[in-house]
Amino acid sequence: MVEIKTDISIEAMREAGRLVAQALTAAREAASVGVSLRELDRIARAVLDEAGAGSPFLDYHPDWAPIPFPAVLCASVNDAIVHGIPDDYRLRDGDLLSLDCGAIRNGWAGDAAVSFTVGRARPEDTRLIDTAERALEAGIAAAVVGNRIGDIAHAVGRVCRSAGYGLPDGFGGHGIGRSMHEDPGVPNEGRPGRGMALRHGMVLAIEPMVIASGSDDHYTARDGWTVRTVDGSRAAHAEHTVAITDDGPRILTAL
Ligand code: MG
Ligand code: MG
């Protein structure tokens, strides 16, 4: 069931979303060569703690996961697409890092992700990240009253596919509200004009993930969480929580 949010609830979600942006910004600013992923998680956690906010990631334990997620941040390096566990890995020159963070504030959730390179960027990584961001922008632009979920999916997928990239099948965006994952699902590829009609008060996390080689194949690593590309090629991820309003899409996870 899709929960339609009141304007007051959307304002409350904006506060959660702003905190996500602050946590991601703090972690990104700290992400340089030699810094461990665990340290980035500590930095994001401090931002949430200081605001008295909770994490929808920490201790999240879906049926398919062997262990609860142990951090407030997902940190996915190079061939890791999403759900990387921040560990003692120290960032190296040229790494492509994706950070995904959530917050719960006053009972409302926010969810966003960003990808960037550490140290000297490879041009092919810059192009990959740019494409994930452009796909996110296209998805947000399609998140308007009168459109359907399939219009968002189509907009996202077209940007990624026309750049020649793969999309990990089975992964995509989602409704969000009092919990991080709500109906409806927001696929990263689809047919325009299909699926649920978009209404004022729907809040969606839109999150393209792209695989550099063009393959859609992925697997879950032995830690039970990290999703990696099968062929070892790099991946990028971009995400915002977006409210659909009569005045157009509103990004709730901006700074
Ligand atoms: Mg996320
Ligand atoms: Mg999400």
Side-chain angles (χ1 to χ4, degrees), residues 20 57 74 82-83 99-102 110-113 174 180-181 205 207 209 237 239-241:
V20 172
F57 289 20
C74 296
V82 286
H83 302 168
L99 298 178
D100 193 341
C101 189
D111 183 13
H174 47 91
M180 180 169 56
H181 293 131
E207 49 179 315
M209 302 149 206
H237 179 207
E239 177 180 25
H240 270 307
T241 296

Side-chain angles (χ1 to χ4, degrees), residues 215-233:
S215 164
D216 297 353
D217 297 339
H218 56 83
Y219 71 99
T220 303
R222 236 175 298 170
D223 64 19
W225 278 98
T226 312
V227 179
R228 294 186 182 279
T229 62
V230 167
D231 59 16
S233 71

Side-chain angles (χ1 to χ4, degrees), residues 36-47:
S36 75
L37 301 179
R38 205 184 291 277
E39 178 61 17
L40 301 183
D41 181 63
R42 265 190 229 111
I43 289 164
R45 199 179 294 222
V47 173

